[in-house]
Amino acid sequence: IRLFLGILLTFVVSIPNLVLSIFALYGLGGQSGHLVINQLRIQNFIRISTLISVYSSNIVYKSTDPSFIIPIQSVNSTVFKDNSFATDTNTLRNDIQSLNNVLTYQNNKFQLGSKNVQLSGDALTDMVVNPRSQGKNDFINQIMSDETECLIPDDVDLPESIYSDQETGAQRCKNQQRMPGLQYPFKGLEQLLNVFQESVVELLTIEPGDIALNNTNFNYIIESARNDIYYGLYQINDYLVEELDKYQSTYQTVLIVVFILIIVGMLLISIISFLPLPGSLHILSEQTDWISAMTYTVDERLKHFSEVEFDSELGTEVPRVDESYKQ
């Protein structure tokens, strides 16, 4: 019984480590999902900005040679199946619209969590599982929705652009012409992304050859890609990387401590369960030897009782019994 209880207690002590490991992996998956979906929307945002430049310039490489169309294997997306977007403006417009729709889904998924949004049709985006961030994280809420004049860090060095000189982040934030058409202050990154997507939709209603260089939507898309939207997304990205490292380090330490405690607990249980075992085995051995000795000598003792002699007459007053005794 003691041995059975020891094994049972050892199993019970091991359960907390298993539960904690599962919980840590689940949390790590959620943290990683947040980081991945934010990386995907950064990637998508840059793609849209780049393709809008190509669309607005009306420069495509028209070709009737089918060998020019090359399937793209490196991007798991329903949009970039091949490079046909570079050969025709209509195809390019459709691809930009698709990317803009996927960006809407990515923003919703990042904010609301993967359980609260429908599938987008983009395989790479749909496979990401992440928890809700809206209302759950103060830093992300601040970047996404708090009213502010600027999302550019003060200490970054920024290159020259059409609307800005080469300057630091603190200097650039003072320039309220850095993103044309935007009213300051604005409601965080969420508003900037909404304006960005609305500008993309409106710009795509214009034929490429008719888009002027001073078009407000076009300039907002291009300038936001190197100003507040870009740095807002990357501030969130850097924060998520830091939090992921902290989470991993914390649970790694906790798991090591719990593992050590389990080892110590198992040793104590082993000592409590198995320390009396040698004494019990010794007693059992003595009892076995005694039983063996008794069994071995019983035949010798029974020899003395193989014949029974009576030293007096048997008087039962039953003639047949008394006669038998005398015989």
Side-chain angles (χ1 to χ4, degrees), residues 100-116:
N100 202 34
N101 293 334
V102 172
L103 181 59
T104 299
Y105 172 82
Q106 290 169 341
N107 289 330
N108 291 336
K109 188 171 187 177
F110 180 83
Q111 287 285 79
L112 303 177
S114 53
K115 293 182 179 180
N116 299 314

Side-chain angles (χ1 to χ4, degrees), residues 8-22 258 262:
L8 181 61
L9 286 174
T10 301
F11 176 75
V12 170
V13 168
S14 303
I15 291 178
N17 187 53
L18 178 62
V19 172
L20 188 61
S21 299
I22 294 173
V258 172
I262 287 175

